[in-house]
Amino acid sequence: MKKLIAILAVFALVFGFAACRGNENNAETTAASDDAQTTQAAAETTKFAEVAGKTIMLKKTDSADFVEINTDSQNLGSTIMVHKFFASQEDFEAAKAKGDYDSLTLVTAIDVNREIIYSDSQTVRGMAYDEILSKAEKAEGYVIIPAE
């Protein structure tokens, strides 16, 4: 039950990041939206992949943001990496200055594309691949990108 609440908290956090983003109309937003639609169509045909030691990708449908959920060689969850992209330099600098966010630890900030990568090693640790995938399917606003 605690793991379920923790997973839901991570998804709520990611949704919160998306809500903080402004409604800028620019080429990056349009390109990300087109990419998300193409990705969603491809992902719906092959949602499941039985893999060990791979990454489950959850792509945000309305932005370039995505989440990586890593599994170990025994198909157990190990870490979550949240990739957050910022439309403006001001928002990026503010988030970078803030640092860690709740249970997410700031790993790196990439100035070139205004991306911040956060990590969480507790939420999915020890969860089975199928359980993670089941919860990921229920995450609204995300599409599952099959592991290769």
Side-chain angles (χ1 to χ4, degrees):
M1 186 65 171
K2 289 181 183 178
K3 288 181 182 179
L4 174 64
I5 292 171
I7 290 269
L8 292 175
V10 168
F11 289 127
L13 173 68
V14 172
F15 295 137
F17 277 133
C20 292
R21 184 174 179 184
N23 290 329
E24 295 85 9
N25 291 326
N26 59 31
E28 290 178 19
T29 305
T30 304
S33 177
D34 292 344
D35 183 45
Q37 290 173 351
T38 303
T39 303
Q40 183 175 7
E44 286 177 353
T45 60
T46 56
K47 274 192 175 180
F48 297 98
E50 294 297 325
V51 293
K54 295 287 183 167
T55 301
I56 301 167
M57 301 290 292
L58 298 173
K59 173 77 175 75
K60 187 91 169 107
T61 57
D62 62 355
S63 72
D65 300 348
F66 64 96
V67 177
E68 300 174 57
I69 303 172
N70 300 303
T71 61
D72 63 18
S73 61
Q74 298 174 354
N75 277 337
L76 298 176
S78 57
T79 60
I80 294 177
M81 303 295 280
V82 177
H83 295 253
K84 173 73 176 143
F85 296 88
F86 295 86
S88 73
Q89 188 66 28
E90 292 172 349
D91 292 344
F92 173 73
E93 293 297 332
K96 189 166 67 168
K98 183 176 181 182
D100 296 349
Y101 189 83
D102 290 335
S103 66
L104 297 176
T105 304
L106 189 143
V107 175
T108 189
I110 304 169
D111 292 328
V112 175
N113 58 351
R114 294 190 300 255
E115 174 185 11
I116 295 181
I117 302 173
Y118 296 95
S119 174
D120 174 5
S121 61
Q122 297 303 313
T123 303
V124 294
R125 182 164 305 282
M127 289 178 69
Y129 176 85
D130 293 335
E131 184 181 356
I132 295 169
L133 201 54
S134 174
K135 292 182 187 316
E137 283 185 314
K138 296 173 186 167
E140 292 184 28
Y142 286 88
V143 61
I144 299 172
I145 309 298
E148 296 177 9

